Amino acid sequence: MPRRPVDTLNAAGDLLRALAAPVRIAIVLELRAADLCVHELVDALGVAQPLISQHLRVLKAAGVVRGERHGREVVYRLVDEHLSHIVVDAVAHVEEGERR
């Protein structure tokens, strides 16, 4: 397997750090199912709106999500499915370990 450039490894580490918070993992899982606005994420996750907005900013800065304005609301969606697979695989790994 070829060695990866340090910049690539650093960027991958930044991405994994952006995904590391439980609320951000939950946001990614919700956005896998549908594009959602902040108030829908608040309702789905039971987390305060300012906290959801803060986590969305981190995910947006990391290139995990993007927002698109629809009138007064911003609808968020995942940038691509690769990122959701990382989260889904991590959650599945933990759940499998809990069953052992």
Side-chain angles (χ1 to χ4, degrees):
M1 179 177 217
R3 288 183 64 182
R4 302 282 197 259
V6 172
D7 290 347
T8 300
L9 299 177
N10 286 335
D14 291 343
L15 175 61
L16 290 173
R17 277 188 289 285
L19 293 171
V23 172
R24 293 194 285 267
I25 291 170
I27 289 170
V28 170
L29 292 174
E30 290 295 323
L31 293 177
R32 280 186 76 231
D35 300 344
L36 301 168
C37 60
V38 172
H39 76 84
E40 291 169 320
L41 288 166
V42 167
D43 292 344
L45 301 177
V47 177
Q49 183 273 323
L51 191 56
I52 292 289
S53 294
Q54 177 185 350
H55 285 295
L56 283 168
R57 277 192 295 279
V58 172
L59 291 171
K60 191 172 178 183
V64 176
V65 302
R66 73 171 149 247
E68 184 177 305
R69 185 161 292 282
H70 291 267
R72 296 179 61 201
E73 296 183 324
V74 177
V75 176
Y76 290 90
R77 69 176 35 113
L78 295 176
V79 169
D80 67 43
E81 285 300 309
H82 292 107
L83 301 169
S84 68
H85 290 295
I86 293 168
V87 172
V88 169
D89 288 347
V91 170
H93 176 76
V94 169
E95 290 174 340
E96 288 171 7
E98 291 173 352
R99 287 189 286 256
R100 290 183 194 155

